Amino acid sequence: MSNATLSSLPSADRPDAAARLRDALLAADFTADGLLELLGAPAYAALARSETVPALRATRGDTPLETLVRLFLLQQPVPHARVEGVLPVAECLESGWLARAGEDQVAATVDVRPYGGPDGEDWFIVSDLGCAVGGAGGIGSRHEGVVLGVGGASTTLAGITVRTPVASALDLGTGSGIQALHAAQHVTRVTATDLNPRALHITALTLALSGVPAADLREGSLFEPLREGETYDLIVSNPPFVISPGARLTYRDGGMAGDDLCRSLVQGAGERLNVGGFAQFLANWQHVEGEDWQDRLRSWVPRGCDAWIVQREVQDITQYAELWLRDAGDHRGDQEEYRARYDAWLDEFEARKVKAVGFGWISLRRTDAAAPSVTVEEWPHPVEQPLGDTVRAHFERLDYLRGRDDAGLLEEHFRLAPEVVQEQVGLPGAEDPEHVVLRQNRGMRRATKVDTVGAGFAGVCDGTLSAGRILDAIAQLMGEDPVLLRDRTPAQIRLLVEQGFLYPGHGPSAD
């Protein structure tokens, strides 16, 4: 990226200008809540579909907020006189946030989008004009170095990230800086890297305009910008995971063969994590003919790490190619060129015997356990974000179960997790259900089948009695041998604990 291209952006060396711009935006209620109130839900939702007419109609007045929406969200030139008194215009022109558009108008040089933080913070995400995902014009540029705003992938990763206070974090492939912005709330030292120097510049703008401390910004691919022996307590990455023929678009295409970029990222994270630290990624992976996709992902997990990998979606190769060709706007261009690109994608997949592509989350935790645990599962069902606490609790339960044999488990006390309900499935009028399902209404919203003993056991777990005593009581009620019941039930208890239906611990009435 040339210096001339970077010079078209606002200055990243003017924190004073960014601070005064931030004050002016907040004074006009240019916030996520303020936008929703001004535009109304239908117009606000229409922006996510790249439809601007409803928002243009809602901003025909001359209030400060309407002026800012037209300027920064809808990216319309606005009369200079209308902006005076709303923004420090001279300073914004000098520092590059605004540019002159004709004799008496000004225009934004970047997209500035209000973003509500998890605890009500008023943040702002900076991106290239027309490239706020779900924004005013969709992805309006096909330049290889374009920097996008916040999309569904960004918010998904932010939601699943473990948010415990730690000393150091690495945002690898930072883009517009959304992950670094979140990390700044609970991390002492944040490092953000990107192959694209324009992305690092925009990340600096995002952090400054959001009023958070600057990050240590480093240019380079994957772990290359890190110093020898440098480790972190948290690593996050929403990488360019798209599996494509070539690396046409820096923001999304991995540039390595197949899913090698995601594999390299996961495998390289282990040695960069402190013990107890987490590495969390979004990724795509190939489903290869004759190969178990779960085994493929297990082979990615670095030594010394527990892993929890969740496949959220699978697309056949035609769906996948069409999705990303449309993402780049190729379907709107020359149709012969579009067909040639489509052919190239299918040729690439055919050569690698790829029949489908999976998408999901990968969470690693560095451990000193002798036998790390690797869980790979498919869960395409709705979940409740944020899931950071759910991810952390998953690994804590692994530690708990690893430290207890079956005999020790039966001595423990358990509590049923909140928001768990029981469903009985069977034919109408039948005396007994065909099976019983326990269902979570929070977090992963899991559902699991249990037998009569499992359902009865979970139902009385309030922490008062040990698991063994509960099973003895159930054996007496059912006329079963208590020794046999104690032998065959711990596996079911382990599953219920592992999946978060049962929590270890005494209830309030226990001694």
Side-chain angles (χ1 to χ4, degrees):
M1 190 68 60
S2 68
N3 290 333
T5 305
L6 288 177
S7 67
S8 67
L9 295 171
S11 171
D13 300 322
R14 290 288 307 274
D16 54 337
R20 280 187 280 276
L21 175 57
R22 172 180 170 79
D23 290 342
L25 298 178
L26 293 177
D29 202 20
F30 188 67
T31 64
D33 289 342
L35 290 185
L36 183 59
E37 184 175 348
L38 171 68
L39 300 178
Y44 194 74
L47 283 177
R49 302 190 299 271
S50 299
E51 295 292 347
T52 61
V53 172
L56 286 167
R57 291 173 61 86
T59 56
R60 289 180 292 192
D62 59 359
T63 66
L65 182 54
E66 288 169 296
T67 298
L68 294 177
V69 170
R70 281 188 165 254
L71 191 62
F72 286 115
L73 260 67
L74 302 178
Q75 288 146 28
Q76 302 290 308
V78 176
H80 188 287
R82 184 172 167 182
V83 182
E84 286 285 1
V86 178
L87 296 177
V89 177
E91 187 173 29
C92 286
L93 287 168
E94 180 189 353
S95 56
W97 290 95
L98 298 177
R100 297 192 182 279
E103 292 186 6
D104 59 352
Q105 291 187 316
V106 294
T109 58
V110 287
D111 184 296
V112 175
R113 194 151 301 251
Y115 178 82
D119 296 316
E121 300 94 345
D122 288 317
W123 291 336
F124 300 96
I125 308 299
V126 180
S127 64
D128 275 313
L129 292 173
C131 295
V133 177
I139 298 174
S141 171
R142 293 166 66 184
H143 190 282
E144 64 174 15
V146 72
V147 179
L148 302 190
V150 177
S154 303
T155 55
T156 293
L157 179 59
I160 68 172
T161 300
V162 175
R163 299 293 176 194
T164 52
V166 292
S168 59
L170 170 65
D171 175 14
L172 196 153
T174 187
S176 60
I178 176 63
Q179 308 306 327
L181 183 56
H182 277 276
Q185 306 309 295
H186 63 103
V187 178
T188 304
R189 175 176 59 87
V190 177
T191 301
T193 70
D194 206 289
L195 181 64
N196 181 2
R198 188 178 184 85
L200 296 176
H201 191 108
I202 284 182
T203 290
L205 298 176
T206 289
L207 299 179
L209 196 58
S210 297
V212 305
D216 177 7
L217 303 176
R218 304 185 195 176
E219 182 182 342
S221 176
L222 297 178
F223 297 100
E224 289 175 1
L226 304 189
R227 294 183 284 272
E228 185 177 354
E230 194 171 13
T231 57
Y232 294 86
D233 300 309
L234 174 66
I235 299 173
V236 292
S237 183
N238 175 20
F241 53 67
V242 177
I243 300 169
S244 61
R248 185 161 58 110
L249 299 173
T250 303
Y251 71 86
R252 66 163 210 194
D253 296 327
M256 296 185 184
D259 52 16
D260 281 358
L261 182 134
C262 290
R263 176 185 55 79
S264 298
L265 181 61
V266 174
Q267 289 181 336
E271 65 183 7
R272 293 297 184 171
L273 277 178
N274 296 323
V275 173
F278 288 90
Q280 297 183 263
F281 316 105
L282 301 185
N284 275 178
W285 43 79
Q286 298 173 150
H287 285 231
V288 179
E289 186 178 338
E291 177 182 282
D292 187 314
W293 68 270
Q294 293 182 322
D295 289 343
R296 182 182 191 85
L297 289 173
R298 288 189 184 96
S299 74
W300 290 9
V301 177
R303 296 181 62 183
C305 287
D306 292 322
W308 183 20
I309 302 173
V310 182
Q311 180 167 274
R312 295 288 290 155
E313 185 179 359
V314 181
Q315 291 183 315
D316 68 50
I317 57 174
T318 59
Q319 291 175 310
Y320 188 81
E322 290 163 16
L323 170 67
W324 294 109
L325 287 167
R326 288 178 176 273
D327 171 80
D330 291 323
H331 63 299
R332 294 192 295 266
D334 180 86
Q335 287 305 295
E336 188 171 332
E337 183 179 346
Y338 171 76
R339 286 190 292 270
R341 290 191 186 281
Y342 200 152
D343 253 339
W345 283 66
L346 297 186
D347 285 344
E348 179 82 5
F349 287 134
E350 185 177 313
R352 298 184 175 280
K353 298 183 178 180
V354 177
K355 58 184 179 178
V357 177
F359 167 80
W361 318 325
I362 298 177
S363 295
L364 308 176
R365 185 191 59 167
R366 185 79 183 182
T367 180
D368 52 12
S373 168
V374 177
T375 301
V376 184
E377 62 176 321
E378 186 164 17
W379 191 253
H381 312 294
V383 298
E384 182 189 49
Q385 285 274 34
L387 282 169
D389 287 344
T390 299
V391 173
R392 176 184 49 77
H394 169 86
F395 288 99
E396 289 175 349
R397 291 193 297 269
L398 288 182
D399 285 341
Y400 173 84
L401 291 171
R402 226 173 351 220
R404 285 161 180 79
D405 60 15
D406 288 355
L409 205 63
L410 293 177
E411 295 176 0
E412 294 291 316
H413 295 241
F414 296 98
R415 292 174 291 113
L416 186 65
E419 306 293 334
V420 172
V421 297
Q422 176 179 303
E423 300 173 0
Q424 297 188 169
V425 181
L427 295 173
E431 184 175 345
D432 295 313
E434 292 179 18
H435 58 263
V436 177
V437 173
L438 298 182
R439 186 179 301 277
Q440 301 169 349
N441 286 322
R442 304 293 301 274
M444 290 293 288
R445 293 179 173 168
R446 292 189 183 278
T448 189
K449 289 183 183 180
V450 292
D451 60 18
T452 305
V453 172
F457 179 86
V460 297
C461 279
D462 62 0
T464 304
L465 301 175
S466 69
R469 289 185 62 186
I470 292 174
L471 291 179
D472 290 343
I474 291 174
Q476 187 174 5
L477 286 172
M478 299 179 65
E480 292 200 28
D481 184 334
V483 175
L484 293 178
L485 196 63
R486 279 174 171 254
D487 284 344
R488 68 179 173 87
T489 307
Q492 192 168 188
I493 296 174
R494 283 185 183 278
L495 180 64
L496 292 175
V497 173
E498 181 181 338
Q499 294 189 343
F501 288 92
L502 295 177
Y503 288 123
H506 292 269
S509 60
D511 295 333

